[in-house]
Structures are given as structure tokens and as C-alpha cells.
């Protein structure tokens, strides 16, 4: 009987050697073996890099907060010869006050800032009150003047061989050429040697010339060419406006492009030669029109429009395109 029971058990349990080759049966009451599944390497790396729950993770530093004083500091416009200042809106405006013999207060805003001309009998309080009344216009013009000055700074000319500057609205390259014969003119225009549309201005100076020498030589040539160009345009527009001009003088003013007197004398800024011909024509026609109307009334602008119909566009272009700085 015992033999039969053993045979029955052998049907369900393999013999000793096979059992040894397999997994040992778990004994009731014994602790089960803890099996750790093998994770793919990528998952293991990520698990190791991930911060523990509840751990303090450093956050990126916040950008610095500007100081309150820098946010509240008012804008400032200061004339180099300022002798008085006033608060207009949230801007401090230091202006140059001139006492003159006139009947009203006049304002001009230029590259230097605000200049005020007032009669001797007007009190300082009245001058400041007039400025506050026109504060919107004054601040707008000061902002525009500052923006033009910044654009001019970007167009500063570096005086050396290969320097570039605008000439009649197109790029002009300065070429130092001591071997060139200029027949007393000091320089000459030539097409670019590489076939480009730009022009070269060949100046009879050695490559060792210093910036001041190069600047002066280029200016001398431009002034001669400006007189030639301006004379031709004055002769063109004068008959159309039925006026007669008597003399032409070149100006180097920083804030005025031209002027005219009743005797027919015309003054034009030689730096106009930096601009395209249409803008020069506007300034020439503007000054010649003053020989008929010596103010800026609607009648004056109507006179200008008879020869330069698009003068408003050209006037704005002249305001928005500052000439390069010469130093």
C-alpha cells in the first residue's frame, strides 16, 4: 500500500534530480524572495536623475528688478548754453533764454535743444507759462531732434582711405591717389573700379594722410561741386518763379539749410550735396520763392508748389534724413 501511495506521488512530483534542476518549492511560512525587475538603461538613468518627491529643486533666478528711482527719473533735454530750466509734463527742459527787442515770445527747437527769445519786459514766470502752454509741441520737437541726432551719430564718417559718404543721395567712396593729376581741383569723380554703380572720389593725398587732412580735402571738393550744382538749379528755377537772384554764398550752418534776402542774395548749405537732387531742388525753390513772398504764409507755400508740387514729401524727407556728421 505504501508502494502504491509513493507511485501516486511520483506522478505529480518529478524525481529528485529533475526537482533539483527546477525552482525549489516555496515552503509555507518562509519569506518569499524579492525579485527586482531589470529596467532598461534609459529608464534607469531617468529614474536616477529624477528628483525625489518633496525634494527642494532650485528654480532659475528671477531677473533683477530695476530700481524705483530709475523708473521714476524724468526725461531731460538740456541746451548746451542753457540758463534756465522748466518742468514740462514729466520732462526737465533746460533752455537758452535770450532777451531781445521783439513783441512776442518765440521758440526754436534744434539739434542743441530749446532756445527761447523773449522781450525784455516779459517776466520769467510769463515765459515759463508760455512754455507750459506749448509743452506738447515743444516735447514732440525735442524728441524728434534727439532721434535725428542719434541717427546722425550712426552716420559719422571715418576719415580714411575707403571712407564712404552720401553724394546726391548715392554712396561715394573716398580713394587716396597721390599719383592722380587733378588740374587744380584737388579731386575727381570716377566710376568704381569693380564695375559697381557707386562712384569714387579720388583725392590727391598719400595713404599716410591723417583724418583731418582727408576731411578737409573732401570738403573743399564738395564745396566747389556744391556751388556748381546750386548755380545750375538756381538758374533753372528763377525764370519759372519770375524772380532774379543776385549772389550765392555757401553756408556751414548746423540748423539751417538756406536763406534769402530781398536783394536777391541766396545762401545755401553745402551739405545739401549729400541729399538726392529732388530734395536739393526743393530747398532751392524754397529760397527763391522767398524773393516773392518773405514769409511762410499759405501764399508762400502755394508759390513753392507751382514748381515743386511734391514739396511736402521732400520737406519731410529732409527732416527725417540727417546729414552725416563731419568731425
Amino acid at each position: 500500500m505504501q508502494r502504491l501511495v509513493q507511485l501516486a506521488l511520483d506522478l505529480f512530483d518529478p524525481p529528485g534530480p529533475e526537482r533539483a534542476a527546477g525552482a525549489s518549492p516555496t515552503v509555507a511560512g518562509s519569506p518569499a524572495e524579492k525579485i527586482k525587475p531589470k529596467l532598461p538603461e534609459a529608464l534607469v538613468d531617468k529614474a536616477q536623475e529624477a528628483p525625489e518627491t518633496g525634494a527642494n529643486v532650485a528654480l532659475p533666478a528671477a531677473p533683477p528688478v530695476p530700481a524705483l528711482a530709475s523708473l521714476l527719473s524724468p526725461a531731460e533735454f538740456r541746451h548746451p548754453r542753457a540758463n534756465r530750466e522748466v518742468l514740462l509734463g514729466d520732462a526737465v527742459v533746460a533752455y537758452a533764454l535770450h532777451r531781445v527787442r521783439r513783441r512776442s515770445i518765440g521758440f526754436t527747437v534744434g539739434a542743441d535743444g530749446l532756445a527761447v527769445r523773449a522781450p525784455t519786459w516779459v517776466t520769467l514766470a510769463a515765459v515759463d507759462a508760455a512754455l507750459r502752454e506749448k509743452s506738447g509741441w515743444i516735447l514732440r520737437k525735442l524728441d524728434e531732434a534727439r532721434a535725428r541726432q542719434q541717427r546722425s551719430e550712426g552716420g559719422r564718417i571715418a576719415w580714411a582711405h575707403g571712407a564712404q559718404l552720401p553724394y546726391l543721395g548715392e554712396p561715394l567712396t573716398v580713394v587716396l591717389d597721390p599719383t592722380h593729376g587733378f588740374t587744380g581741383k584737388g579731386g575727381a569723380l570716377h566710376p568704381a573700379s569693380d564695375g559697381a554703380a557707386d562712384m569714387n572720389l579720388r583725392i590727391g593725398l598719400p595713404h599716410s594722410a591723417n583724418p583731418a587732412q582727408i576731411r578737409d580735402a573732401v570738403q573743399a571738393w564738395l564745396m566747389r561741386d556744391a556751388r556748381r550744382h546750386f548755380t545750375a538749379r538756381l538758374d533753372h528755377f528763377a525764370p519759372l518763379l519770375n524772380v532774379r537772384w543776385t549772389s550765392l554764398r555757401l553756408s556751414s550752418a548746423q540748423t539751417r539749410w538756406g536763406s534769402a534776402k530781398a536783394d536777391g542774395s541766396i545762401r545755401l548749405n553745402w551739405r545739401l550735396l549729400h541729399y538726392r537732387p529732388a530734395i536739393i531742388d526743393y530747398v532751392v525753390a524754397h529760397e527763391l520763392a522767398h524773393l516773392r513772398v518773405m514769409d511762410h504764409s499759405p501764399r508762400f507755400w502755394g508759390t513753392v508748389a507751382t514748381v515743386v508740387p511734391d514739396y511736402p514729401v521732400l520737406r519731410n524727407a529732409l527732416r527725417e534724413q540727417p546729414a552725416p556728421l563731419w568731425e
Side-chain angles (χ1 to χ4, degrees):
M1 185 65 180
Q2 186 176 0
R3 177 69 177 171
L4 293 175
V5 173
Q6 183 64 45
L7 289 174
L9 291 175
D10 289 343
L11 291 175
F12 297 96
D13 289 334
E18 294 180 7
R19 186 183 301 137
S24 300
T26 303
V27 179
S30 66
E33 183 181 0
K34 296 181 180 179
I35 302 175
K36 295 182 180 180
K38 186 176 182 181
L39 298 176
E41 291 184 2
L43 294 179
V44 173
D45 292 340
K46 291 180 180 179
Q48 292 173 348
E49 293 174 1
E52 296 180 0
T53 304
N56 294 326
V57 181
L59 298 177
V65 179
L68 182 61
S70 65
L71 295 176
L72 299 180
S73 58
E76 183 174 307
F77 301 93
R78 186 167 296 277
H79 195 287
R81 293 177 296 280
N83 51 11
R84 186 167 176 78
E85 67 179 39
V86 63
L87 184 64
L88 300 182
D90 58 353
V92 175
V93 179
Y95 61 93
L97 174 62
H98 304 281
R99 294 293 191 174
V100 294
R101 297 180 61 183
R102 56 179 296 159
R103 302 173 64 180
S104 61
I105 301 174
F107 315 135
T108 57
V109 177
D112 288 336
L114 174 64
V116 180
R117 294 177 174 270
T120 55
W121 51 268
V122 174
T123 65
L124 293 176
V127 172
D128 289 348
L131 293 176
R132 292 190 185 96
E133 182 181 352
K134 299 292 185 181
S135 61
W137 179 88
I138 292 172
L139 292 176
R140 184 173 71 255
K141 293 300 181 182
L142 287 171
D143 281 332
E144 292 173 357
R146 177 169 288 179
R148 284 195 299 270
Q149 184 67 19
Q150 290 172 347
R151 290 195 297 271
S152 294
E153 290 289 341
R156 188 183 300 274
I157 302 171
W159 294 109
H161 176 75
Q164 285 199 332
L165 62 151
Y167 169 73
L168 296 179
E170 299 293 337
L172 179 67
T173 302
V174 176
V175 177
L176 303 185
D177 185 2
T179 64
H180 197 291
F182 297 107
T183 63
K185 294 183 179 180
L189 282 178
H190 289 271
S193 57
D194 58 1
D198 299 350
M199 297 292 290
N200 288 341
L201 175 60
R202 294 187 174 273
I203 298 294
L205 288 175
H207 287 265
S208 59
N210 62 47
Q213 291 173 319
I214 300 172
R215 178 200 61 206
D216 293 346
V218 172
Q219 179 176 338
W221 185 89
L222 285 176
M223 292 183 72
R224 285 191 293 269
D225 198 63
R227 180 174 293 279
R228 174 196 62 79
H229 187 91
F230 297 164
T231 299
R233 302 317 291 164
L234 287 168
D235 287 341
H236 170 78
F237 283 108
L240 299 177
L241 291 167
N242 195 26
V243 296
R244 179 175 175 271
W245 66 280
T246 57
S247 65
L248 169 64
R249 296 184 63 184
L250 298 181
S251 164
S252 297
Q254 296 296 321
T255 59
R256 177 174 291 187
W257 291 116
S259 62
K261 293 184 178 180
D263 62 1
S265 59
I266 302 292
R267 183 188 294 264
L268 294 171
N269 196 315
W270 64 267
R271 290 187 177 89
L272 282 168
L273 213 62
H274 290 306
Y275 294 91
R276 54 192 172 97
I279 293 178
I280 299 175
D281 282 353
Y282 156 67
V283 178
V284 170
H286 182 118
E287 301 309 332
L288 287 174
H290 276 310
L291 300 183
R292 290 180 57 180
V293 185
M294 295 299 291
D295 57 31
H296 289 107
S297 63
R299 178 168 165 256
F300 167 80
W301 292 113
T303 302
V304 175
T306 61
V307 291
V308 185
D310 58 342
Y311 78 85
V313 175
L314 299 170
R315 179 177 58 183
N316 288 336
L318 183 61
R319 290 174 176 172
E320 297 301 321
Q321 301 171 17
L325 290 180
W326 284 63
E327 287 187 0

